[in-house]
Amino acid sequence: MKARSFFGVVLISAALLAMSAWADDGQVHDARARADYMIHCQGCHVGDGSGFDGRVPDLRHSLPLLLSVEGGRAFLVQVPGSSQANLSNLRLADTLTWMVRQFAGAESNLAFAPFTEAEIDTWRPQRLDDVVATRHALIGHLELPDSREEETAIGRTSE
């Protein structure tokens, strides 16, 4: 009886491995990146990227702005939630790419180049001294007045 069970487990495992070999590599990366977002980012930015008013930036609003300015891509890698995540550089690149594709909107995605492991390797060690000040310097002039006032009223926030 034990031999049958063992054989069944081996057969099922082999079938699953064969199926995974046929899976589209992009789908596998997307699924892993989505899971990494859920584990490392969703606690603050929530499932739909909306964050918390005045405390955690709305990715749907801030990603397109950050992608439109010089230094915005580096900022997304350097914020503590990214730079300190327990992810390899490749997985962080995949997660940030997934976030942009998921939350930045169609217009931002047209010209978007996926994050690379090399970018992460370059920017990740360069920690930000003041996340809010850096964010404001990059996109403060592009944000709606209400979002700047809320951020100032609450105090320090992080991406």
Side-chain angles (χ1 to χ4, degrees):
M1 188 65 148
K2 288 182 183 179
R4 275 188 175 173
S5 296
F6 177 74
F7 180 72
V9 169
V10 170
L11 187 59
I12 290 172
S13 297
L16 289 173
L17 281 172
M19 287 171 51
S20 68
W22 293 329
D24 176 37
D25 193 37
Q27 290 175 342
V28 172
H29 282 285
D30 283 351
R32 186 181 67 207
R34 180 177 183 272
D36 285 339
Y37 173 82
M38 292 170 68
I39 294 166
H40 299 281
C41 312
Q42 186 170 309
C44 295
H45 289 286
V46 302
D48 66 357
S50 62
F52 293 98
D53 281 345
R55 295 182 189 268
V56 178
D58 184 334
L59 295 173
R60 301 166 305 176
H61 170 71
S62 60
L63 284 175
L65 297 178
L66 287 164
L67 293 171
S68 73
V69 298
E70 186 175 337
R73 286 174 72 93
F75 176 82
L76 291 170
V77 173
Q78 295 165 336
V79 294
S82 292
S83 65
Q84 297 173 23
N86 188 21
L87 294 170
S88 69
N89 288 344
L90 178 60
R91 285 182 63 179
L92 180 57
D94 288 345
T95 302
L96 290 170
T97 296
W98 181 88
M99 290 168 59
V100 169
R101 289 182 175 151
Q102 191 69 28
F103 302 125
E107 188 174 318
S108 294
N109 277 299
L110 288 176
F112 174 70
F115 282 89
T116 66
E117 188 174 8
E119 285 176 307
I120 306 301
D121 189 52
T122 298
W123 294 326
R124 194 176 205 177
Q126 302 168 22
R127 303 290 165 92
L128 299 174
D129 291 329
D130 189 332
V131 174
V132 174
T134 303
R135 184 178 189 276
H136 183 72
L138 289 169
I139 61 171
H141 64 289
L142 300 172
E143 294 183 299
L144 299 173
D146 291 343
S147 64
R148 285 195 306 257
E149 289 170 14
E150 286 177 12
E151 186 174 283
T152 303
I154 298 297
R156 301 229 177 266
T157 61
S158 64
E159 282 295 313

